[in-house]
Amino acid sequence: AVVVVKLPDGTVVRIPPASQVRIDRLRGYHGSEAINARINLDQGGIEVQSESSRLGRSPMIGREVQVVTPKATASVRGTSFRIGSTADGAQAEVLDGAVQWTARGEARTLNGGVGAIVDSQGQLGKNETLLPKPAALVAIRVSTGDVLAVANGPSGSDSYNRALVGKYPPGSTFK
């Protein structure tokens, strides 16, 4: 099961199974919504979505979240992102906003739709464009063909059901 932690400013942190995470610092400032949080990710993954990002607002000054892995650090304000850490390195994927990704003194800004890795030696890899969000998803029971779930991504027209009308080659049929 995924653990979901909601910080005092509304930022949501999702921690998948087998992740080793600890919140080292969580400070709120009297009379404001400003926070300062530092989360250590020793192993596994984490997804952070700030309140301003979830509501489509611009980043708010004074709301900073740092995710520290053994190989790299992500520092953000008003952003939605994922960080992963293994013995082989770390990776960052920015879904919305921007993240400062730092390893061995080299800092780089990753904007929405971009990711980067840090290898086991702490070397920062090149920026990579993330795959686009899926347009539609249909989950079926392979043995019978029964449709178990249907989901559509955002489109220009709410009445167009891409999951049922569109024709797509099958993706991964077995996990």
Side-chain angles (χ1 to χ4, degrees), residues 41-92:
L41 173 63
D42 296 325
Q43 180 179 325
I46 190 171
E47 181 176 334
V48 178
Q49 188 172 28
S50 73
E51 178 73 357
S52 55
S53 172
R54 288 187 316 110
L55 299 176
R57 298 179 186 155
S58 60
M60 299 185 76
I61 303 300
R63 291 185 176 183
E64 181 177 23
V65 177
Q66 281 187 328
V67 177
V68 180
T69 75
K71 302 289 182 192
T73 300
S75 300
V76 300
R77 287 188 176 96
T79 299
S80 179
F81 66 100
R82 291 187 288 251
I83 304 293
S85 179
T86 67
D88 295 328
Q91 82 240 4

Side-chain angles (χ1 to χ4, degrees), residues 79-142:
T79 299
S80 179
F81 66 100
R82 291 187 288 251
I83 304 293
S85 179
T86 67
D88 295 328
Q91 82 240 4
E93 298 172 343
V94 181
L95 308 175
D96 182 47
V99 168
Q100 181 175 324
W101 189 230
T102 305
R104 295 181 78 184
E106 181 184 351
R108 185 180 305 158
T109 298
L110 304 177
N111 293 311
V114 173
I117 64 166
V118 174
D119 67 18
S120 61
Q121 304 303 310
Q123 296 295 318
L124 189 56
K126 67 180 184 170
N127 290 8
E128 298 284 346
T129 302
L130 299 178
L131 295 174
K133 294 178 183 175
L137 173 86
V138 179
I140 64 168
R141 179 172 285 121
V142 177

Side-chain angles (χ1 to χ4, degrees), residues 152-170:
N152 281 300
S155 70
S157 169
D158 291 333
S159 62
Y160 184 67
N161 189 334
R162 288 178 292 178
L164 299 178
V165 177
K167 294 182 180 178
Y168 307 100

